[in-house]
Structure formats: C-alpha cells, structure tokens
Amino acid sequence: GENVEQHPSTLSVQEGDSAVIKCTYSDSASNYFPWYKQELGKRPQLIIDIRSNVGEKKDQRIAVTLNKTAKHFSLHITETQPEDSAVYFCAASFSLMYSGGGADGLTFGKGTHLIIQP
Amino acid sequence: GAVVSQHPSWVICKSGTSVKIECRSLDFQATTMFWYRQFPKQSLMLMATSNEGSKATYEQGVEKDKFLINHASLTLSTLTVTSAHPEDSSFYICSARDLVVTEGGNQPQHFGDGTRLSIL
C-alpha cells in the first residue's frame, strides 16, 4: 500500500517569512495529492490539491509543487500570518482522472505543526 | 457549499455499548464516503470506503464486524461501533467525495467535524 512521509513534524517561522513542508510517497500509481489544514479539535480543511499531470499549482499565498520522478511534493506558504498556525497534513491517493471515478481513500502524512511567531 | 455534517460530535458511553455515527453531505451528493480514525496528535488513518448501495471496503486490520458501515442514500453514511471497548476510544471522522468534478479534474473530499468517542 501507499506510505506517505512528512517533514518536519514541527515548524516555527517568523510572521511574514515563508514556510515549506515536504512529503514523499511510495506508490508510483498515486496521482492525486491534497493538502489539508487542521486546527485543534476541528475538521481538516482542503487548502490546495494537485494532480500528477501538473508540476505546480498556486493559490494566492499557497503553492504546491510535485516531482513525480522523485515521488515528492511540497507545500509552500509565503508571507505567513498568525492565522496560518495549525497542523498541516499532506495526503496521496489514486484517482481515475477524467473518467468519472473519484479518488480512493487518502493516505495521510503524520502532519506538521506550523507555528507562526509574531 | 460542500458541507458535511457529522453527528454526534461527542459520545461517552459504557464498555459493551454500540454507538452509531452519522455522516451527511448537506448540499451535494456523494456516492462515496470515507471513514477515518485519528488518535490524539496523530494522523488520520483510513478505516473504510463506503459506497452508496453496496458493501463497504475495509482497510487491512479493520474488523468489518466491529465497524459496521451502511450507505443507504447519496447523502448519508453511518458507522456503527459494535460492542465498543476502551481501546475503541478515538476521534472518528468521515469525508464525502463530491460528485462534481472541479476545474482541475478533481473530486475533493470534504470532511465532517468528527465524533469524539470515549468508552469508559
């Protein structure tokens, strides 16, 4: 089965600086990679996702990059703000692209506790 | 949009009790829902995939007779923890996969708020 490794487990950055979280996956069949933000006691919220046919995707201060060959993907948050403090999870799954089939259940990384220092 | 409601949010009960958790997609239809389990300060672990109108698919190591899943409609899946014991205490969270495909060709999973289950 799929195995997702996530680093670091804790990341502390100064407000305004950038934060980068890295994940690797083991199953070359995986082709869908979402990132979730989870605040304490709350639901995970999808912040960005990427498919394997794309190398990079950006949404305002958040970007994700994917290297299929190396089987790793990263989350980049620029101009960090206090409200970015949370636990971030990467995940991987297989998805039947464009054929009406959706993604399989997600295999999550262990999470990164992001702390934004004011 | 894409709201998933999970009920109850917190359950405390005695050992041996069966507990039913509901997961509803409120403003979209979901032929597939997923059940995850999350221990404190740990990641989410997929337990099973719930498919509307058919049997659930369980991940390795998850007892299907202990964790009964029913997905009777396009908006509701239930997880019943049968004869719960203290080791079943955990945070159970469902997600629903939207039938609508996004611009990027994705069908994202939307999570419920989770159910904190405590077995005494």
Side-chain angles (χ1 to χ4, degrees):
Chain A
E2 176 64 275
N3 181 49
V4 177
E5 299 284 341
Q6 183 172 348
H7 299 281
S9 56
T10 303
L11 177 60
S12 181
V13 302
Q14 289 294 126
E15 183 179 351
D17 288 349
S18 295
V20 180
I21 302 170
K22 298 182 179 182
C23 287
T24 60
Y25 61 99
S26 61
D27 190 347
S28 55
S30 290
N31 60 4
Y32 176 61
F33 308 94
W35 285 87
Y36 285 86
K37 175 183 179 182
Q38 187 178 32
E39 296 177 16
L40 190 63
K42 296 189 176 181
R43 72 177 75 187
Q45 291 195 307
L46 178 70
I47 55 172
I48 196 166
D49 56 7
I50 192 169
R51 280 184 174 263
S52 58
N53 61 340
V54 176
E56 184 174 357
K57 185 176 176 180
K58 190 173 181 180
D59 182 4
Q60 299 182 340
R61 297 187 297 111
I62 295 172
V64 56
T65 58
L66 170 67
N67 183 325
K68 274 195 306 182
T69 304
K71 293 207 281 287
H72 67 69
F73 56 113
S74 300
L75 176 72
H76 304 253
I77 305 174
T78 59
E79 300 171 26
T80 53
Q81 300 167 4
E83 52 265 35
D84 294 330
S85 295
V87 178
Y88 290 80
F89 292 99
C90 63
S93 74
F94 172 73
S95 172
L96 292 171
M97 224 181 280
Y98 304 115
S99 65
D104 291 344
L106 299 168
T107 300
F108 283 86
K110 291 191 184 301
T112 296
H113 186 190
L114 177 62
I115 302 165
I116 308 301
Q117 305 276 9
Chain B
V3 178
V4 176
S5 172
Q6 192 170 336
H7 180 81
S9 56
W10 202 311
V11 179
I12 302 174
C13 58
K14 293 182 179 179
S15 185
T17 307
S18 291
V19 178
K20 181 186 279 190
I21 303 169
E22 292 187 347
C23 180
R24 293 180 185 273
S25 55
L26 296 185
D27 51 0
F28 66 100
Q29 293 184 326
T31 55
T32 303
M33 294 184 177
F34 303 93
W35 288 95
Y36 296 85
R37 183 172 177 174
Q38 185 176 31
F39 289 107
K41 296 185 179 180
Q42 293 190 27
S43 189
L44 291 82
M45 298 294 293
L46 179 66
M47 297 175 66
T49 301
S50 170
N51 297 300
E52 187 263 337
S54 64
K55 289 185 179 180
T57 305
Y58 291 82
E59 294 300 301
Q60 193 172 11
V62 178
E63 299 175 57
K64 62 179 182 180
D65 293 330
K66 182 164 187 64
F67 299 100
L68 300 178
I69 292 172
N70 183 273
H71 194 154
S73 77
L74 284 172
T75 59
L76 174 64
S77 174
T78 61
L79 169 69
T80 301
V81 183
T82 61
S83 188
H85 292 286
E87 59 266 28
D88 298 322
S89 298
S90 187
F91 188 59
Y92 292 86
I93 189 163
C94 70
S95 73
R97 191 173 72 200
D98 203 329
L99 281 178
V100 176
V101 179
T102 65
E103 184 181 321
N106 299 325
Q107 287 180 295
Q109 292 186 29
H110 304 288
F111 284 85
D113 281 327
T115 297
R116 192 159 302 281
L117 177 62
S118 297
I119 308 298
L120 304 177

